[in-house]
Amino acid sequence: METTGELRALQFAELEILLEFQRVCTKLGLKYYLTAGTLLGAVRHKGFIPWDDDIDVAMPREDYDRLVREGTTRFNPQYVYQEYRTEPNFPYYFAKLRKRGTRAEEPILRAVQMEQGYYIDIFPLDRCPDGDKRAALLFKGIELLDCAVLARVSSEFVCGYQKPYMRLLWGTLRHLPNRWLFALRESVRKLLGMGGDRLCTVGGHHGYPRETYQPAWFAQTVELEFEGRRFPAPGGWEKLLENMYGDYMTPPPEEDRQGHFTE
């Protein structure tokens, strides 16, 4: 599958956002890593996966929280940092850095009243419970609370839960104020992640267990080429990609080569 001119223009716009993110992180001394499809693109293509239309980075939780406290006003005016503590209608557990004056048509967010420009996704690296049941509960609990917020901020959101008890729980939670849902989400993260020896990024495309990681994979940082520039990546990138994609050097079938909001 070849990259179209329109998609390539979008990718270069997202690269500009990544460079702005890098500028602020460097100024504040914050750690971050390429992850998920962006990391795979750096390894397999030395840039974007040809059909990919977003950028993913991950940050240690302490750096992620510090960016919210100290960094959001340091971005140039054409960018806006969206996270639940900076944007009251932002539903997700992770953050986005967007470019104003552009438009990204994500169907699930289309009806939300907030800036909808091109973006990069920024995921906190959090502690993950050691047991499979508790870890799965962490991912499911945060997903449920994200969906409850989405139901409050988007008139178009449709609940996808099929099990009656999940629909009942979602239907109850959606009537709570956003600030209560955000507080519950933080409580779920802290209580279930307490004492865990693994790391995870919650809210991404792949979910549990593919978005769980060993801390040793992040013990060292390496730089990888991405679109002619170099960006930090976890030293254990091979193990991370194997865990997330399996045979990561083999591209998927043509019919599975889809982006988030482009065809």
Side-chain angles (χ1 to χ4, degrees):
M1 176 178 180
E2 295 182 358
T3 306
T4 65
E6 182 181 358
L7 175 56
R8 194 61 176 152
L10 168 62
Q11 291 175 343
F12 279 125
E14 291 172 343
L15 180 60
E16 290 180 7
I17 302 172
L18 178 60
L19 291 170
E20 174 66 5
F21 174 79
Q22 180 187 55
R23 182 186 69 81
V24 172
C25 287
T26 300
K27 191 168 186 177
L28 293 175
L30 302 178
K31 293 181 181 179
Y32 74 94
Y33 312 91
L34 302 184
T35 191
T38 308
L39 177 60
L40 176 58
V43 171
R44 198 169 68 197
H45 305 275
K46 296 189 183 300
F48 282 96
I49 297 172
W51 55 91
D52 199 9
D53 57 10
D54 79 336
I55 286 177
D56 300 306
V57 298
M59 305 181 74
R61 168 56 73 169
E62 56 271 23
D63 294 271
Y64 178 91
D65 285 342
R66 188 172 162 225
L67 179 60
V68 176
R69 293 194 308 269
E70 303 176 24
T72 57
T73 60
R74 294 176 182 261
F75 293 108
N76 287 326
Q78 66 264 42
Y79 300 96
V80 57
Y81 192 86
Q82 292 178 326
E83 205 254 3
Y84 80 91
R85 287 167 285 189
T86 68
E87 167 60 67
N89 286 338
F90 189 72
Y92 291 137
Y93 177 78
F94 55 93
K96 292 178 183 283
L97 179 63
R98 292 188 186 266
K99 186 175 183 179
R100 301 182 193 273
T102 61
R103 184 74 181 178
E105 287 290 345
E106 283 185 285
I108 198 170
L109 295 178
R110 186 168 45 212
V112 180
Q113 297 300 306
M114 65 179 189
E115 183 69 42
Q116 296 274 3
Y118 298 162
Y119 64 85
I120 66 171
D121 285 330
I122 303 157
F123 294 91
L125 278 166
D126 283 318
R127 286 288 172 184
C128 182
D130 296 327
D132 286 341
K133 289 184 178 180
R134 286 188 65 192
L137 183 61
L138 171 67
F139 278 73
K140 279 293 185 184
I142 289 176
E143 176 193 81
L144 175 64
L145 289 161
D146 282 358
C147 288
V149 178
L150 271 166
R152 293 182 53 80
V153 301
S154 172
S155 59
E156 297 182 0
F157 180 73
V158 178
C159 172
Y161 293 115
Q162 300 298 319
K163 295 181 179 178
Y165 75 90
M166 290 297 292
R167 292 187 67 87
L168 177 63
L169 187 55
W170 171 80
T172 301
L173 289 169
R174 64 179 294 194
H175 295 294
L176 297 179
N178 284 6
R179 66 181 184 278
W180 289 18
L181 295 171
F182 294 148
L184 278 171
R185 197 167 60 187
E186 282 299 295
S187 296
V188 168
R189 172 181 71 84
K190 292 176 181 178
L191 289 173
L192 290 179
M194 189 180 301
D197 289 333
R198 293 183 293 178
L199 297 173
C200 62
T201 49
V202 181
H205 178 70
H206 304 289
Y208 181 79
R210 292 165 65 187
E211 290 190 67
T212 60
Y213 322 105
Q214 294 299 322
W217 301 350
F218 295 89
Q220 295 182 345
T221 302
V222 297
E223 288 195 343
L224 297 179
E225 182 180 342
F226 186 84
E227 298 296 341
R229 298 174 183 269
R230 301 191 72 81
F231 295 96
W237 58 263
E238 292 178 88
K239 293 185 179 296
L240 188 155
L241 291 176
E242 286 173 0
N243 183 64
M244 190 171 285
Y245 297 103
D247 180 12
Y248 59 86
M249 291 303 289
T250 301
E254 186 80 20
E255 61 269 19
D256 294 334
R257 300 178 186 183
Q258 298 178 352
H260 294 78
F261 47 83
T262 57
E263 297 181 353

